[in-house]
Amino acid sequence: MRQELLSLPKGLAEEVSKNLVMVGRLIDDEPEQAYAYSRIALRLASRVAAVREAAGFAAYATQKYSEALAEFRAAKRMTGSVELWPVMADCERGLGRPERALAMAGEPEVQKLDKAGQVEMRLVAAGARRDQGQLEAAIVTLQSPELASSSVQPWTARLRYAYADALLAAGREDEAREWFAKTLEADKDGSTDASDRLAELDGVEFVDASIDLSDLADDQDEDQDEDDIDEDDEDDDEDAAEIAAAERASDVAEYYDEDDEEYEPLEQSAADADPDAEGDKA
């Protein structure tokens, strides 16, 4: 890419390079923004193959398959490379033309691809078979030395996953489970959801344990308010009890005033209650 950009004036090359860098950074997580940057680069340097290729991948990421295919074809004409052949075939699938994708899978260009490209082409062809409802044919298409190999390559997880998924679609659940497990063994960076697919086959359900902290805070505030109300009620009850006790104490104090001529003990002993008891004892 750098060599291609050197053919541009320095200032223009720097501007195009900045936009291409943004395409690379955003294409996975924010493809629409990546696409916008690719269009800027394309306006600035449409005769640079790397720019056409980047624009193609950005369009592909946003499912603009017709536009992506046009850009890939332009890049292929400029470079003469067949490297983009599998993704061009997949664009045909995206456009609803699986038969064209299958035709491309049989072209001489496939033989010029490296191993990774050939595996990618096999994946596209299997997908085209599934598009046509040919599940068993898709399974057979994926059966290859690369699939049977025990060595783990960059494409291994994706190949095994596609095979497991095709088996499951064909109703071959036990075999699918076996291959999802093999996918998980090869998927070191978690590029597939093989673990989730295995869990589904095993009947495991995941419960979302995430908690909305704002809701939790609201609940805590409500609990605190209820506690405050309860405490206030308790305080009111205690105050009322204290007031009542004070009033009773006041009444008793008045009632037991010994200086009062009407003073009478609140409780009388048995002797006090029976004046003759003293005399009898004596």
Side-chain angles (χ1 to χ4, degrees):
M1 180 185 296
R2 175 178 292 183
Q3 190 65 35
E4 294 181 50
L5 292 177
L6 288 177
S7 64
L8 301 173
K10 184 177 180 180
L12 180 58
E14 290 178 355
E15 189 65 25
V16 172
S17 178
K18 289 178 182 178
N19 283 280
L20 293 181
V21 168
M22 294 306 297
V23 172
R25 287 180 179 176
L26 297 170
I27 195 165
D28 291 330
D29 299 324
E30 299 179 62
E32 290 292 345
Q33 289 191 31
Y35 175 76
Y37 280 106
S38 75
R39 301 307 295 178
I40 295 173
L42 193 59
R43 287 197 298 270
L44 294 173
S46 62
R47 295 188 178 184
V48 174
V51 172
R52 304 301 291 265
E53 182 176 330
F57 278 111
Y60 179 81
T62 54
Q63 300 183 1
K64 298 177 176 64
Y65 297 116
S66 180
E67 186 175 323
L69 185 56
E71 297 302 336
F72 289 143
R73 284 172 174 168
K76 181 178 178 297
R77 285 196 302 270
M78 292 177 180
T79 63
S81 171
V82 297
E83 181 182 357
L84 297 171
W85 197 254
V87 72
M88 290 169 63
D90 206 39
C91 285
E92 296 287 4
R93 284 187 61 214
L95 291 169
R97 302 191 294 241
E99 69 284 351
R100 293 194 183 183
L102 288 171
M104 292 179 67
E107 293 292 330
E109 281 82 353
V110 176
Q111 303 305 317
K112 300 176 184 179
L113 294 169
D114 60 12
K115 182 62 69 177
Q118 290 180 4
V119 171
E120 193 65 35
M121 193 70 242
R122 190 176 293 276
L123 288 167
V124 173
R129 292 293 186 188
R130 292 189 63 173
D131 292 342
Q132 294 180 326
Q134 301 172 5
L135 291 177
E136 290 298 332
I139 291 170
V140 172
T141 299
L142 292 169
Q143 293 171 346
S144 61
E146 293 79 19
L147 180 67
S149 176
S150 59
S151 66
V152 176
Q153 302 295 333
W155 61 77
T156 302
R158 292 181 61 240
L159 183 59
R160 292 179 180 179
Y161 183 91
Y163 189 61
D165 192 49
L167 289 168
L168 187 60
R172 296 159 62 174
E173 188 171 308
D174 291 341
E175 294 175 83
R177 192 197 181 287
E178 177 187 351
W179 280 96
F180 277 129
K182 290 182 178 181
T183 300
L184 195 57
E185 293 174 0
D187 192 7
K188 304 302 182 183
D189 57 358
S191 60
T192 72
D193 63 347
S195 59
D196 294 339
R197 302 297 296 275
L198 271 174
E200 290 176 6
L201 289 171
D202 291 339
V204 178
E205 294 183 4
F206 294 99
V207 178
D208 186 2
S210 61
I211 300 176
D212 190 328
L213 296 180
S214 62
D215 290 343
L216 180 60
D218 291 342
D219 291 341
Q220 290 176 339
D221 291 341
E222 290 177 3
D223 292 342
Q224 184 62 46
D225 291 341
E226 291 177 0
D227 291 341
D228 292 342
I229 292 172
D230 291 340
E231 289 177 2
D232 291 342
D233 290 343
E234 291 175 2
D235 291 342
D236 291 343
D237 292 342
E238 291 176 359
D239 292 343
E242 290 176 359
I243 292 171
E247 290 177 348
R248 287 196 301 273
S250 176
D251 291 341
V252 170
E254 291 177 1
Y255 187 71
Y256 279 86
D257 187 355
E258 294 184 7
D259 294 333
D260 194 331
E261 293 179 357
E262 298 180 354
Y263 164 73
E264 292 183 6
L266 182 61
E267 295 182 359
Q268 292 179 321
S269 66
D272 292 337
D274 186 1
D276 295 333
E278 184 87 23
D280 293 342
K281 185 181 289 188

